[in-house]
Amino acid sequence: MSNPGMMTGRPLSRRAVLAAAGGGLLAGGARETGAPGLRDIAAARGLVFGSELRREVLQQAPEMAALFVHDCGAMVPGHEAKWDYVEPKQGEFHFTDLDFLVNFAELHHLQIRLHTLLWSEALPDWVKQALEAGQGAPILARHIAKLVGRYRGRAQCWDVANEIADPRWHGGPEGLTMTPWRRALGPGYVAEAFHLAHDADPDAILFINDDDLEHDTATGAAKRATYLRLVTAWKRQGVPINGFGLQGHLKPELPFNPPAWRAFLRELAALGLELHVTELDVVDRHLPADPALRDRLAAELVRQFLDVTLDEKAVSMVMCWGLSDRFSWHDEDPDFRRADGRPARPLPYDASFHPKPMYQAVAAALAAAPVRN
Ligand code: G3I
């Protein structure tokens, strides 16, 4: 998993990164076909398209490097920047894989989103113990200064706070979920985290990121209302929140209300926020078993969602949470695995790296999007 040569965190030579990625790239990253990738289609409209990537994916399938560079203009590490990955034990840091992915992205001129500084999951036990011992504030300050400072000037965006307000869990009176952070530090922990991140890299674009906002359900409506209220207050207080990440784990069994979604995006944009779709995929666990029918239904949903979303010009980036079904997290997660045991088909490429109808749906939605300045 590690390559000691990359402990420095400084940009690596192209040769070093290519060798470590196991080759798989033609000169300049061009693919045999020469056809424009999703990154080119997006760029023609002033948008950025990208995807989640994990180093283990490049190690298991080196050919993914060429596919990724062909289609992506941005990269977000799926696991490598999370607390349980970078500091599993207090003072024991593992930046090798994150450094590799940042170097890989820089080599191929990809924008870099890093994810995520504050979350109630992917949290090492020692941090939970420190929170219970009343040591949360200094631990959080050190973590944010170290991570954001390490990639200062290299990472364009940070998901500072992830999944912090869910009405289904008994939250505080202000609407924040009672996570270990909220319990230990009170409702001011979110604003503090954004100020710490801004101090560590004043040029980074700082995001709140959450899921289950897209659907026309009671939970979705409550989350949208809570975030509009919280972000409005934080912006009034001068909290350096620059963007909102809409994860986009689309669930076909739940209703989607285009006017309600469009109105929410308009209200977020009116707060001066840059909007990213951050983790687009389709949770197909309740779709029919037949792969062709599943693929068609998933593609139709993605097209509808992106058509409405990209109509809002504050939306500047669309990221999938992976490119190929072979490396999707759905099959690993009992809450997302299909009852019939068939592998999930949530992403634009199938497990053999062939484009699916979802690929065409994303391409068409990007091509039809209003041009951004
Ligand atoms: O790398 C270790 C491996 O060494 C070990 O053998 C294995 C078994 O313990 O675990 C591996 O780490 C796993 C990692 O995924 C691999 O990438 C972690 O246990 C597992 O918890 C982790 O799950 C990730 C999850 O976030 C928690 O960090 C998923 O891959 C990732 O897709 C998921 O992504 C989240 C976003 O961050 C936030 N939005 C929702 C999204 C999906 O849940």
Side-chain angles (χ1 to χ4, degrees), residues 54 56 79 82 115 119 122 162-163 247 249 279 321 329 332:
R54 299 195 303 274
E56 65 192 3
H79 197 214
K82 291 173 180 171
H115 168 93
W119 192 20
N162 187 56
E163 300 172 16
Q247 289 186 11
H249 295 298
E279 306 181 14
W321 200 245
W329 60 284
E332 297 158 24

Side-chain angles (χ1 to χ4, degrees), residues 335-348:
D335 294 337
F336 289 81
R337 198 178 294 141
R338 286 181 59 89
D340 61 12
R342 289 170 178 262
R345 299 177 66 85
L347 294 169

Side-chain angles (χ1 to χ4, degrees), residues 240-261:
I241 297 174
N242 314 116
F244 203 105
L246 311 150
Q247 289 186 11
H249 295 298
L250 303 181
K251 299 177 178 71
E253 71 277 12
L254 299 180
F256 176 61
N257 179 333
W261 179 243

Side-chain angles (χ1 to χ4, degrees), residues 238-362:
V239 178
I241 297 174
N242 314 116
F244 203 105
L246 311 150
Q247 289 186 11
H249 295 298
L250 303 181
K251 299 177 178 71
E253 71 277 12
L254 299 180
F256 176 61
N257 179 333
W261 179 243
R262 185 71 189 81
F264 175 63
L265 299 179
R266 193 173 290 115
E267 291 191 79
L268 286 176
L271 292 170
L273 297 174
E274 182 168 346
L275 307 180
H276 288 177
V277 175
T278 52
E279 306 181 14
L280 183 63
D281 62 18
V282 173
V283 184
D284 71 352
R285 59 188 167 187
H286 298 307
L287 286 182
D290 174 63
L293 176 56
R294 231 193 297 168
D295 288 354
R296 181 169 60 77
L297 294 172
E300 286 169 2
L301 178 57
V302 164
R303 179 67 199 268
Q304 181 191 29
F305 172 76
L306 286 180
D307 280 349
V308 177
T309 302
L310 293 175
D311 185 59
E312 173 48 64
K313 286 194 171 183
V315 177
S316 58
M317 185 180 285
V318 175
M319 304 285 281
C320 282
W321 200 245
L323 282 182
S324 164
D325 295 340
R326 184 186 303 184
F327 298 106
S328 166
W329 60 284
H330 291 203
D331 297 331
E332 297 158 24
D333 187 323
D335 294 337
F336 289 81
R337 198 178 294 141
R338 286 181 59 89
D340 61 12
R342 289 170 178 262
R345 299 177 66 85
L347 294 169
Y349 284 94
D350 68 16
S352 304
F353 306 140
H354 297 129
K356 292 156 55 186
M358 189 185 299
Y359 184 98
Q360 278 76 32
V362 173

